[in-house]
Amino acid sequence: MIPTSKPSTGKEELSAIEAVMETGWLGMGSVTKDFEAALEEYIGAKNIIAVNTGTSALHIALDGYGIGHGHEVIVPSLTYAASIQAIISTGATPVFCDVNEKDLLVDIKDIKRRITSKTKAIMPVHYCGKPCDMDSLMALAEEHNLVIIEDAAHAFGSKYKGRKIGSFGHATCFSFDPIKIITCGEGGAVALDDDEVAEKIRQKRILGIDKETWRRYRNERGWFYEVVSHGFRYHMSNINAAIGLEQMKKVDKFITRRREICRRYDTAFQSTDGIYTLDIDYSETAPFTYIIRVPGMRDDMMDFLKEKEVGSGVHYIANHTQPFFRQYTRGELNVTDRLWKEILTLPLYSEMTNEEADQVIHAVTNYIITASLTHV
Ligand SMILES: Cc1ncc(COP(=O)(O)O)c(C=O)c1O
């Protein structure tokens, strides 16, 4: 079975974990600091704060900017449940917005319609790795005094108009879970320019304890501590950071390979009737997932692919249809309602071979031929 995704880890990551174990300092420490420094350099970000998951990154970034009870945060319904739960965890209310048909990125016109006096933030999702229209979002933020908390879980290494995602904007949140472009086992990070908010987030990441971060970066523990703010236990361990540091040595290779596979898929599917590819420029996008739209055939195609030993998935079930999130739905989400039933995620991972990609292409196009024959 060709899986939909899988991590690319090897002996280097294992040796790095062993090295951390030999030091006896497994929790947050100097390796976490080294990982943050590697991320800062790669992204070109002033501050990177490593945390234990991408969901924590989103939550702590919102919290760091003071988003909470009585506030509204605009977020696409078509995203992972993590984006919505992060907003709810602050006490704020998620307000679902629609997406564009061509690339499944947030529809800026729809966002504008949903801004109220309670709106404090927008959480755009750089879906599949393609950056949202950041110029328009930043202009909107300026006009309405909003914060943009970018969900860049899919977009580590992507560029917007030549600049790496995370090197500009208010706050950008990455995920390093097992199937992301790079993994820490589990992990996440917030990238931001504002030193004051960054310091607040650093403190909140480790239970609101003053100076704890800086002491731990030297692998030191002291008996005296002061809790100076509300906080969480979201810090990243040396073990997870060690995996991430090794992955950083391979990141460009991973991205190049993922782009090659996506272009191979695009070439095959753009000439196949019944399949719609997303409008993505892979010279700027570091692709996390490869998604096609197959109106009227999605579920049958998934069954067929399974028979042919090709994994597939759905990213995502629209959140406004989820039992717990339905209470937050306001107004129409016409594009999302239609598209989430058409989207299909095909296998994509950094070590995928051309033969595997061709097996996927063959299975998908075979389904289309079989389906058209049975409809004649
Ligand atoms: C769009 C999006 N946001 C947030 C997250 C949360 O990241 P994590 O799994 O590291 O908590 C994910 C993870 O899959 C995601 O895809």
Side-chain angles (χ1 to χ4, degrees):
M1 187 87 178
I2 298 179
T4 319
S5 56
K6 69 174 175 188
S8 299
T9 50
K11 288 195 203 89
E12 300 82 5
E13 285 78 4
L14 258 183
S15 309
I17 294 169
E18 259 177 29
V20 168
M21 290 192 167
E22 277 162 18
T23 68
W25 194 276
L26 310 189
M28 184 166 94
S30 59
V31 190
T32 314
K33 186 172 194 300
D34 292 345
F35 180 53
E36 289 173 335
L39 294 176
E40 279 166 2
E41 196 190 327
Y42 183 74
I43 299 287
K46 193 163 167 212
N47 296 287
I48 294 263
I49 300 137
V51 290
N52 58 352
T53 65
T55 311
S56 312
L58 291 168
H59 179 207
I60 208 166
L62 288 162
D63 187 274
Y65 273 97
I67 313 293
H69 287 278
H71 298 156
E72 291 177 357
V73 179
I74 301 177
V75 62
S77 168
L78 199 67
T79 179
Y80 190 40
S83 325
I84 319 304
Q85 294 288 23
I87 296 167
I88 295 170
S89 300
T90 66
T93 303
V95 173
F96 295 121
C97 72
D98 220 339
V99 290
N100 299 317
E101 176 155 347
K102 64 179 176 131
D103 54 14
L104 310 178
L105 298 182
V106 284
D107 174 348
I108 310 270
K109 280 201 206 99
D110 191 49
I111 290 180
K112 281 186 192 161
R113 284 193 286 270
R114 293 174 194 268
I115 294 175
T116 70
S117 57
K118 291 184 183 165
T119 310
K120 287 285 173 283
I122 302 171
M123 186 184 283
V125 177
H126 303 312
Y127 198 83
C128 292
K130 178 175 175 178
C132 296
D133 175 358
M134 287 303 293
D135 286 345
S136 300
L137 285 166
M138 293 306 287
L140 207 56
E142 175 107 34
E143 188 185 338
H144 295 273
N145 198 20
L146 308 175
V147 182
I148 306 288
I149 306 288
E150 293 163 69
D151 183 338
H154 295 187
F156 186 73
S158 288
K159 287 183 182 164
Y160 176 76
K161 298 189 177 172
R163 290 178 296 167
K164 283 243 175 76
I165 284 294
S167 66
F168 62 99
H170 297 151
T172 308
C173 301
F174 298 106
S175 160
F176 308 123
D177 79 15
I179 58 162
K180 291 299 185 301
I181 290 179
I182 64 156
T183 185
C184 291
E186 291 285 0
V190 184
L192 76 167
D193 202 49
D194 188 316
D195 291 333
E196 215 174 292
V197 181
E199 199 44 39
K200 214 157 118 188
I201 292 176
R202 271 192 201 100
Q203 207 165 66
K204 280 175 169 285
R205 153 180 77 170
I206 187 149
L207 300 169
I209 300 179
D210 190 27
K211 302 199 175 63
E212 187 69 2
T213 291
W214 304 102
R215 200 160 53 197
R216 278 175 181 261
Y217 277 164
R218 296 189 298 270
N219 293 356
E220 280 173 24
R221 207 175 266 131
W223 69 268
F224 183 77
Y225 59 88
E226 276 183 309
V227 181
V228 296
S229 70
H230 166 244
F232 313 97
R233 204 171 186 288
Y234 280 174
H235 53 279
M236 176 181 279
S237 75
N238 268 352
I239 293 181
N240 295 105
I243 300 170
L245 261 177
E246 290 306 315
Q247 294 267 291
M248 284 303 291
K249 296 176 190 161
K250 308 174 185 176
V251 62
D252 287 332
K253 200 178 79 188
F254 288 168
I255 292 172
T256 302
R257 185 61 191 145
R258 283 169 174 267
R259 284 180 173 147
E260 284 167 2
I261 301 287
C262 290
R263 288 184 175 124
R264 198 177 186 90
Y265 280 157
D266 265 3
T267 307
F269 298 139
Q270 278 164 1
S271 54
T272 308
D273 282 346
I275 299 180
Y276 299 85
T277 58
L278 299 184
D279 175 16
I280 296 179
D281 169 9
Y282 289 107
S283 62
E284 292 243 289
T285 292
F288 163 57
T289 42
Y290 185 87
I291 293 178
I292 51 173
R293 288 202 294 112
V294 281
M297 318 188 251
R298 200 265 312 277
D299 296 356
D300 282 350
M301 189 184 272
M302 283 181 95
D303 292 342
F304 183 88
L305 294 181
K306 198 167 168 198
E307 274 170 34
K308 302 289 173 205
E309 309 221 304
V310 170
S312 63
V314 176
H315 293 87
Y316 297 92
I317 296 172
N319 279 296
H320 71 278
T321 69
Q322 294 288 1
F324 181 62
F325 296 148
R326 257 179 237 148
Q327 58 183 307
Y328 301 109
T329 309
R330 268 190 243 153
E332 305 287 308
L333 291 159
N334 293 327
V335 179
T336 305
D337 272 328
R338 180 164 53 83
L339 292 195
W340 87 260
K341 294 175 191 137
E342 301 179 351
I343 50 179
L344 182 69
T345 306
L346 296 178
L348 179 66
Y349 40 91
S350 303
E351 286 173 7
M352 196 168 189
T353 63
N354 285 346
E355 291 68 32
E356 287 170 324
D358 289 344
Q359 191 181 327
V360 175
I361 292 168
H362 194 244
V364 170
T365 45
N366 244 350
Y367 172 82
I368 299 281
I369 294 165
T370 315
S372 61
L373 288 178
T374 46
H375 282 105
V376 172

